[in-house]
């Protein structure tokens, strides 16, 4: 994108995306998110068209997204190989890394392939 200066960048722990703070040619500031695979588990709407009068305002608007990316960096199991786990009850899982049970419908605990408390990638298997 021409006329855009990247001022700061925060990358996701798994490298699947980032948030960039930019200054546009017209003097406005903003942030934009990238998710190259389209499956990175972003937790907020795209702000590619965001326009703010200061970098501080752009940072405040992106604060929850930045906090999410930093939590990902703190996951103790983020770099471990995926582990296959069986569902003891339909819709429930027990994390192989931390032992916490959670519902697959809980968006604060399950990211569609990763336990969001510890970062362990899980492959869900039907109970045998």
């Amino acid at each position: 994108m021409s006329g855009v200066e990247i001022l700061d960048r925060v990358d996701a722990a798994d490298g699947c995306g980032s948030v960039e703070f930019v200054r546009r040619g017209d003097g406005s500031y903003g942030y934009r998110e990238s998710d190259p695979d389209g499956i990175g588990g972003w937790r907020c709407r795209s702000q590619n068209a965001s326009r703010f009068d200061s970098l501080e305002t752009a940072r405040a608007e992106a604060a929850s997204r930045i906090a999410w990316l930093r939590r990902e960096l703190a996951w103790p199991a983020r770099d471990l190989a995926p582990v296959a786990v069986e569902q003891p009850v339909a819709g429930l899982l027990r994390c192989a890394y931390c032992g916490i049970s959670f519902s697959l419908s809980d968006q604060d605990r399950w990211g569609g392939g990763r336990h969001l408390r510890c970062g362990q990638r899980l492959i869900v298997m039907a109970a045998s």
Side-chain angles (χ1 to χ4, degrees), residues 30-106:
Y31 71 95
R32 60 188 182 188
E33 298 181 33
S34 67
D35 181 9
D37 300 328
I39 57 171
W42 293 102
R43 307 277 289 183
C44 68
R45 293 187 309 268
S46 171
Q47 295 294 321
N48 292 326
S50 66
R51 292 195 181 275
F52 307 101
D53 59 355
S54 72
L55 180 58
E56 292 75 26
T57 304
R59 286 187 190 282
E61 290 292 323
S64 66
R65 184 67 200 131
I66 297 299
W68 175 255
L69 288 172
R70 294 218 165 109
R71 271 194 308 274
E72 287 180 359
L73 291 171
W75 285 338
R78 76 173 190 264
D79 295 327
L80 298 179
V83 176
V85 293
E86 287 188 1
Q87 294 183 56
V89 176
L92 293 178
L93 274 187
R94 182 178 185 101
C95 180
Y97 179 81
C98 66
I100 292 177
S101 295
F102 58 92
S103 169
L104 294 176
S105 63
D106 184 347

Side-chain angles (χ1 to χ4, degrees), residues 5-34:
E5 177 187 0
I6 298 171
L7 303 173
D8 193 10
R9 178 184 172 111
V10 178
D11 292 310
D14 61 5
C16 283
S18 64
V19 173
E20 295 176 338
F21 291 95
V22 298
R23 180 173 44 229
R24 294 181 181 80
D26 65 4
S28 67
Y29 294 85
Y31 71 95
R32 60 188 182 188
E33 298 181 33
S34 67

